[in-house]
Amino acid sequence: MPSFLGILLFFLFPISFSLPQRSSWPNALVLRVTKDASTLQYVTIINQRTPLVPVTFVVDLGGRYLWVDCDSGYISSSYRSAHCNSAQCSLANAAKGCKSCFAMPRPGCNNNTCVLFSENAFVGMVSPGDLGEDILALQSTNGLSPGPVASVPRFLFSCAQTFLIKGLASSVNGMVGLGRSRIAFPEQLSATFKFSRKFALCLPPSTMSSGVMFFGDGPYGLLPGIDVSKLLSYTPLIVNPISTAKVSYKGERSYEYFIGVKSIRINGKKVSFNPSLLSINKEGIGGTKISTVNPYTVLETSIYKAVTMSFLKEAENVTRVAPVAPFGVCFSPMNTRPTIPVIDLVMQSKEIFWRIFETNSVVQVTDTVACLGIVDGGSNARTSIVIGGYQLEDNLLQFDLVGSRLGFSSSLLLRETSCGNFNFTSIA
Ligand SMILES: *[C@@H]1O[C@H](CO)[C@@H](O)[C@H](O)[C@H]1NC(C)=O
Ligand SMILES: *[C@@H]1O[C@H](CO)[C@@H](O)[C@H](O)[C@H]1NC(C)=O
Ligand SMILES: *[C@@H]1O[C@H](CO)[C@@H](O)[C@H](O)[C@H]1NC(C)=O
């Protein structure tokens, strides 16, 4: 018996050493997110590789996975390319077949690996690259402040060529995709640490403060001690059967997050436009999605016209002035402070709506000119409503992939907190 136990321990130990201790497994992880002044992109820093180095990524809510420019000094002793026809390649839905590379082996140049196409949604370009894995590390959290660093030893991502970082904020090395794919960033974290498939986004309104992203369930604590996960209204998440990405395979489903906006109200009055624009048809056209790629909400032309007309009708004490691109409706306050109407995105019932207040609807362009922060998407817009970054700022959004629903808070400023209020001071 003792010898049998000895053999058993001998076999068990090397295995248990490679896994994190169950008791120290985090329930949630946290990342800081900032806004880049020149591109208006949302940026985060994630530690990767051996030795660990901070790598800067643009956040793409609808992106499929994490990709990195591997051609600009990717050095790591723990990088491994995925083997073609392996479980990783099929999990990633990579192109079939085996890829070779006739240069010095390095991340991005391997034999017998599979290829993924990384996408830069800002410029609509793709780059083929090797699927690989490496260590990635981020801070755990109890929801109130950051805790010990948790690492994912074999995080799957795609290598891209340097040209793909075109149009991204300076010093960015890739994009982190939070979309609906098996190897998206949130999915891999949930799978590694066995926490629930939920994540939350709280984007900062300016380049002066930072926002926060949580992976895992709440509490999501913001100073002064408010658990914002308790302040949410919910609406179902919808899958668009056809991708709306600038570049996609024919007939491929969408990796983005769609919701069912049923109508728009301005100061409580229903805005009139063709309601069929709000549903998604067989070709994947229509409906409402949420995007961190668009800095401002984009509306299909007829909705745009109806919304801006009602907005101007309801706004008091403003004088319309020449528009400042990309906006079409700009105004100057008159002698008194203007009164800006509230815009409601009404969901599955009249009582469930996402209310957009002045801080998320009006963009101050100069000292004397302000604009409605919504842009005209044209009459051929694939998606009728794209809720963009400016409208998401200082709102908490929880993507609950277990319940297939979106939790939204509306402006946190009315709850006396903001996305800049996560306490990033670690417990020593
Ligand atoms: C791939 O295999 C070919 C043929 O054996 C070899 O010439 C080449 O150097 C290899 N490339 C890498 C990156 O190992
Ligand atoms: C708009 O301005 C007029 C005249 O200055 C003033 O009487 C009125 O109260 C203002 N309305 C609002 C809503 O501030
Ligand atoms: C932030 O968290 C740290 C560590 O838990 C704590 O010492 C500090 O008091 C917190 N700050 C505030 C403003 O609550």
Side-chain angles (χ1 to χ4, degrees):
M1 276 311 262
S3 65
F4 173 71
L5 192 69
I7 292 163
L8 198 70
L9 285 177
F10 175 78
F11 278 109
L12 279 180
F13 258 45
I15 300 165
S16 60
F17 264 88
S18 66
L19 287 171
Q21 292 292 300
R22 179 95 206 166
S23 60
S24 70
W25 280 17
N27 292 319
L29 302 166
V30 68
L31 279 178
R32 190 191 287 273
V33 47
T34 55
K35 186 175 183 176
D36 177 67
S38 61
T39 58
L40 307 181
Q41 291 163 354
Y42 302 97
V43 168
T44 191
I45 297 175
I46 305 171
N47 291 310
Q48 197 203 25
R49 310 171 197 182
T50 304
L52 282 174
V53 290
V55 186
T56 311
F57 295 93
V58 169
V59 176
D60 182 1
L61 178 64
R64 276 188 249 185
Y65 29 71
L66 182 135
W67 64 259
V68 186
D69 165 17
C70 291
D71 290 352
S72 305
Y74 192 117
I75 298 161
S76 173
S77 61
S78 47
Y79 174 86
R80 302 281 176 274
S81 64
H83 207 275
C84 50
N85 305 318
S86 64
Q88 286 99 319
C89 291
S90 66
L91 189 71
N93 204 7
K96 298 270 182 300
C98 294
K99 187 213 149 213
S100 309
C101 181
F102 297 94
M104 281 290 287
R106 57 173 178 80
C109 179
N110 304 280
N111 277 339
N112 301 316
T113 190
C114 57
V115 172
L116 275 188
F117 287 87
S118 306
E119 185 191 359
N120 175 338
F122 291 89
V123 291
M125 291 194 305
V126 293
S127 162
D130 297 5
L131 175 66
E133 52 188 35
D134 208 339
I135 290 182
L136 185 141
L138 59 167
Q139 280 184 299
S140 61
T141 182
N142 56 6
L144 303 175
S145 55
V149 169
S151 57
V152 184
R154 299 172 64 181
F155 191 92
L156 282 165
F157 68 100
S158 165
C159 275
Q161 290 158 291
T162 305
F163 76 83
L164 203 63
I165 61 171
K166 188 183 164 202
L168 301 185
S170 65
S171 75
V172 161
N173 283 298
M175 293 180 77
V176 54
L178 311 180
R180 292 173 166 274
S181 100
R182 303 274 301 279
I183 67 157
F185 189 72
E187 287 285 359
Q188 286 197 63
L189 298 179
S190 300
T192 303
F193 298 109
K194 314 270 182 271
F195 56 59
S196 61
R197 294 167 56 232
K198 295 179 184 180
F199 68 95
L201 212 56
C202 203
L203 298 176
S206 81
T207 54
M208 309 308 237
S209 65
S210 55
V212 57
M213 292 192 283
F214 296 99
F215 299 92
D217 209 348
Y220 304 140
L222 298 180
L223 296 170
I226 300 169
D227 177 6
V228 286
S229 72
K230 297 282 194 296
L231 306 178
L232 304 175
S233 300
Y234 294 94
T235 192
L237 284 170
I238 295 169
V239 178
N240 187 329
I242 307 289
S243 174
T244 63
K246 287 200 180 111
V247 184
S248 62
Y249 302 107
K250 197 169 188 301
E252 187 182 35
R253 73 171 171 84
S254 175
Y255 296 90
E256 297 175 288
Y257 297 99
F258 282 75
I259 53 171
V261 170
K262 292 285 189 293
S263 66
I264 299 177
R265 286 189 311 229
I266 292 185
N267 268 0
K269 294 171 193 150
K270 192 173 166 187
V271 179
S272 150
F273 55 85
N274 181 355
S276 72
L277 289 165
L278 296 181
S279 45
I280 301 170
N281 73 11
K282 285 200 301 293
E283 283 83 46
I285 297 168
T288 302
K289 73 176 178 187
I290 303 170
S291 167
T292 56
V293 171
N294 294 87
Y296 305 101
T297 290
V298 183
L299 300 178
E300 181 277 337
T301 294
S302 66
I303 305 179
Y304 177 80
K305 283 189 177 143
V307 164
T308 50
M309 254 175 56
S310 333
F311 182 87
L312 286 168
K313 214 163 106 192
E314 291 296 321
E316 279 186 60
N317 292 335
V318 298
T319 318
R320 219 174 147 180
V321 298
V324 179
F327 309 112
V329 171
C330 297
F331 40 84
S332 245
M334 300 198 330
N335 298 329
T336 48
R337 202 185 133 64
T339 311
I340 301 298
V342 293
I343 304 174
D344 293 340
L345 303 177
V346 185
M347 308 294 179
Q348 65 272 29
S349 78
K350 285 192 176 63
E351 295 74 42
I352 300 174
F353 53 88
W354 175 338
R355 177 157 284 184
I356 300 170
F357 295 92
E358 183 173 346
T359 46
N360 292 107
S361 65
V362 174
V363 180
Q364 197 71 42
V365 180
T366 66
D367 283 348
T368 52
V369 176
C371 300
L372 176 60
I374 293 179
V375 299
D376 186 346
S379 51
N380 296 322
R382 257 195 93 74
T383 302
S384 305
I385 302 179
V386 181
I387 306 175
Y390 197 76
Q391 279 67 40
L392 307 177
E393 292 167 0
D394 277 336
N395 282 240
L396 185 93
L397 296 181
Q398 187 196 49
F399 297 84
D400 173 355
L401 305 175
V402 185
S404 191
R405 58 181 189 165
L406 171 77
F408 56 96
S409 66
S410 289
S411 182
L412 293 175
L413 303 180
L414 278 98
R415 313 282 193 154
E416 257 105 66
T417 187
S418 74
C419 290
N421 279 12
F422 182 71
N423 182 0
F424 271 105
T425 311
S426 302
I427 304 156

